[in-house]
Amino acid sequence: MLLRLPLLDLTPLPAPFYELAKDVEQSLITDPEKAREVAAKLHAATDTAQGLHRAYAELLLARTLLSTRQWQAALESFEKARKSLLALERAALVAHAVLGRVYILLGTGQYAEASAEAAELEAQLANGPVQAMEIRALALNAIAYAEYAQGRPVQAINHLKEALKLREQLSPIIIAACLCNLGISNIEQGNYREAIYWLMEAYRAHPDSNEDRQLELATLTNLAYAHYLAGDLSLATEITQKAYAAAGEWQSYKVRAYSALNLGTYNTELQQTGRARSYLQEALVLSQTQPELTADAVLRASILDSLGTLEHQDGNSESALELYTRAREIAQRDELPAVEALTQLNIGRMLGQLGRPEARAELERALELAVAACLFKEQFEAHTALAELTAAAADWRSAYRHQQELTRLKLHLLEGEHERQRKELRAELDLEQMRREGELSRERLKIEVAARERAEAETLERTQQLAQAQREVVLCLALAAEYRDSITGEHIKQWFVQF
């Protein structure tokens, strides 16, 4: 899920201050460290200043600290800015400071608190001016982020749709971010076709400029993933390659690493082992050398697990086992239950193929993890492996029990597939209704514009008629005055001509 800061209105600032502040805003997305350095200088330069200039400097510094994930320092700066702006009665800028605090709560995992503060902000702005609608939409987007992070994608979808009702008052970047998040939420919900629709809309809505390449890359990456989950592996690979190339051009190392990981996974499934290995090795190097990625445990564990699968495919069992074990250690250390379940399952299957006695215990542990994390696919695969293993050991009771569980899971997965298809059908009907409502809205807008233009034309015509009538009255008065006094009448005529 994506968060975006709204642009600040810098017009109240004088020329020198304005140019520096503009430089900070432009660098906020492309080079956050540069933005922070410039903001810090601006903040120091206004150290003894009071009023609006100082409040702006504090707010700009807070935004750059937020972008560089310096949570505590950002929180303190936002609070100082909020108090100063409240004293200056700058309500619009106060909303910027409050939204910054919401983003910090989200960044530090305080989802309930963030959702509550964002809801309060959204309610305050509900009847605000048009200029406040962008922050209101971003507050709804923040609530959706909190819902998604707490495993409630349906509620996230509802809040994002509320935000998009304000589309006419939003900038293209904010529209694209909300649409992208709507796609991501639908992926989590299992509505892959609807996710593809919203992500395509996000890509189309993105402005054709360098305003926010990270958003464009995130949209492409998630679009590829949605196609992969929908079963279109070739299209997923094609889109991911586009994101991969663009990430290299724009030096977006995180997107480059995840794109390389996904390309490695896709090429492994396509039996393109040479390409898969090259992509996965690049992803591993990036995860080890780029400061923004060194702490990303999910990325590192996923790369090692994918490399293990590749080694397994090539018949290098011991090497595969070592890679799976390293991935599991990372997942256990950083408490990543889904990743741990997958790596544990791979270890158990590998040990089973090698005929190791500990294979059964490893697979049973994988099954426990999969059940705890509600990973039905991994449960199915664990029961399958255990059924084969126990049958080979002539433990018929256990083999029968695992076969029964497999039958139950098959029914559950089949019901889940039917439910997913029903959801996709409902989504298609909802989308068709939204398209029709959009067309009706555009027709109503055309009618309103035409009516307004007609009213303006009629007003102009009547105004001209009134002016003409006034001219005729003056001319008549001039003729009457000339009848009695030729000099006075001539003066009135001259004034009339000038008029």
Side-chain angles (χ1 to χ4, degrees):
M1 292 281 280
L2 306 170
L3 296 173
R4 282 295 171 270
L5 284 168
L7 292 175
L8 281 177
D9 177 15
L10 304 175
T11 52
L13 300 174
F17 197 114
Y18 173 87
E19 292 301 326
L20 285 170
K22 186 178 178 181
D23 189 23
V24 171
E25 288 289 284
Q26 289 176 341
S27 301
L28 207 53
I29 296 295
T30 57
D31 192 348
E33 281 299 332
K34 178 190 173 185
R36 187 187 60 78
E37 290 173 7
V38 176
K41 291 176 183 177
L42 194 59
H43 189 264
T46 58
D47 190 39
T48 58
Q50 297 294 328
L52 189 60
H53 293 178
R54 181 60 179 176
Y56 259 103
E58 198 72 63
L59 187 56
L60 285 164
L61 180 62
R63 285 158 68 87
T64 61
L65 290 167
L66 173 63
S67 294
T68 52
R69 305 173 70 84
Q70 299 181 50
W71 307 121
Q72 188 57 41
L75 186 63
E76 292 171 3
S77 282
F78 273 125
E79 184 59 21
K80 289 177 184 176
R82 187 187 69 82
K83 289 179 179 178
S84 299
L85 293 164
L86 273 173
L88 294 167
E89 298 183 351
R90 295 277 182 166
L93 293 172
V94 170
H96 279 269
V98 174
L99 184 65
R101 174 179 165 80
V102 169
Y103 284 3
I104 291 168
L105 292 171
L106 290 173
T108 53
Q110 301 176 67
Y111 301 122
E113 296 87 343
S115 185
E117 291 201 20
E120 185 179 347
L121 176 61
E122 189 273 331
Q124 291 172 357
L125 298 173
N127 299 315
V130 172
Q131 295 85 342
M133 291 303 102
E134 191 153 286
I135 296 181
R136 184 187 171 198
L138 288 171
L140 287 164
N141 184 63
I143 298 170
Y145 186 107
E147 295 289 357
Y148 179 88
Q150 295 175 93
R152 297 193 286 266
V154 174
Q155 290 87 334
I157 288 168
N158 292 336
H159 282 103
L160 288 164
K161 287 182 176 178
E162 283 297 312
L164 286 166
K165 287 180 181 179
L166 305 170
R167 186 168 185 158
E168 295 299 322
Q169 286 84 45
L170 305 181
S171 66
I173 283 291
I174 303 304
I175 293 169
C178 289
L179 288 168
C180 184
N181 285 342
L182 197 50
I184 293 169
S185 299
N186 274 284
I187 289 175
E188 184 70 16
Q189 186 66 8
N191 304 330
Y192 305 134
R193 295 298 173 192
E194 188 173 359
I196 289 167
Y197 171 81
W198 290 118
L199 289 163
M200 285 298 298
E201 286 291 295
Y203 191 69
R204 293 189 191 103
H206 196 281
D208 189 19
S209 67
N210 291 326
E211 191 174 345
D212 192 343
R213 291 303 190 191
Q214 295 290 343
L215 172 57
E216 185 176 352
L217 291 172
T219 303
L220 281 173
T221 303
N222 283 288
L223 179 60
Y225 187 52
H227 277 294
Y228 171 69
L229 293 172
D232 196 339
L233 184 57
S234 60
L235 185 54
T237 304
E238 182 183 338
I239 296 170
T240 307
Q241 283 174 335
K242 185 175 181 180
Y244 171 82
E249 180 184 346
W250 301 323
Q251 295 184 332
S252 176
Y253 297 113
K254 184 171 184 177
V255 176
R256 179 82 171 189
Y258 273 98
S259 296
L261 168 61
N262 289 340
L263 284 171
T265 303
Y266 301 158
N267 277 282
T268 299
E269 292 193 24
L270 293 168
Q271 304 295 314
Q272 300 288 333
T273 56
R275 289 182 183 177
R277 191 178 302 281
S278 176
Y279 284 126
L280 291 171
Q281 287 294 343
E282 181 185 357
L284 184 62
V285 170
L286 286 170
S287 72
Q288 293 169 337
T289 57
Q290 293 302 318
E292 63 183 296
L293 299 176
T294 52
D296 193 333
V298 173
L299 175 63
R300 182 77 67 83
S302 299
I303 293 168
L304 291 172
D305 185 73
S306 294
L307 282 168
T309 301
L310 192 61
E311 290 295 322
H312 182 195
Q313 199 174 83
D314 285 349
N316 303 322
S317 301
E318 291 298 334
S319 178
L321 188 59
E322 181 189 349
L323 288 163
Y324 286 145
T325 303
R326 286 169 59 191
R328 181 179 63 179
E329 289 171 357
I330 294 171
Q332 289 173 337
R333 184 193 66 203
D334 288 82
E335 298 181 354
L336 306 171
V339 178
E340 185 183 357
L342 178 59
T343 54
Q344 185 76 38
L345 176 61
N346 287 334
I347 288 170
R349 285 189 294 204
M350 180 62 63
L351 290 171
Q353 290 176 11
L354 293 172
R356 303 275 184 88
E358 62 268 32
R360 182 170 177 174
E362 295 288 356
L363 285 169
E364 287 174 347
R365 174 59 182 157
L367 180 58
E368 290 175 9
L369 290 167
V371 170
C374 297
L375 301 172
F376 297 106
K377 179 174 176 288
E378 282 71 18
Q379 289 179 46
F380 185 87
E381 291 177 359
H383 278 299
T384 300
L386 282 165
E388 293 173 357
L389 197 65
T390 51
D395 185 352
W396 307 115
R397 185 183 296 276
S398 296
Y400 178 69
R401 178 170 55 84
H402 288 299
Q403 285 293 347
Q404 282 186 313
E405 286 298 312
L406 279 173
T407 303
R408 182 185 64 80
L409 282 169
K410 282 178 184 177
L411 290 172
H412 178 83
L413 292 171
L414 187 60
E415 288 173 3
E417 178 62 20
H418 288 163
E419 178 61 24
R420 187 180 68 79
Q421 290 175 357
R422 283 195 294 270
K423 285 179 180 178
E424 287 192 356
L425 181 58
R426 283 199 300 269
E428 287 176 10
L429 293 172
D430 289 343
L431 291 173
E432 182 61 29
Q433 182 180 354
M434 288 180 68
R435 279 193 285 269
R436 289 180 180 177
E437 288 176 355
E439 289 172 4
L440 288 172
S441 178
R442 284 191 290 273
E443 288 300 320
R444 281 196 295 268
L445 183 60
K446 287 179 183 177
I447 292 169
E448 289 173 4
V449 169
R452 188 163 56 247
E453 288 175 350
R454 282 198 302 272
E456 290 174 355
E458 289 174 5
T459 302
L460 180 61
E461 183 181 353
R462 289 176 184 174
T463 302
Q464 290 172 343
Q465 290 173 353
L466 180 60
Q468 181 62 30
Q470 289 174 338
R471 290 188 182 96
E472 290 174 0
V473 169
V474 171
L475 182 58
C476 289
L477 289 172
L479 292 172
E482 185 180 23
Y483 178 75
R484 302 187 61 181
D485 182 349
S486 59
I487 296 174
T488 302
E490 198 62 39
H491 281 314
I492 292 173
K493 279 183 178 181
Q494 289 174 4
W495 173 84
F496 174 68
V497 170
Q498 293 172 359
F499 176 74

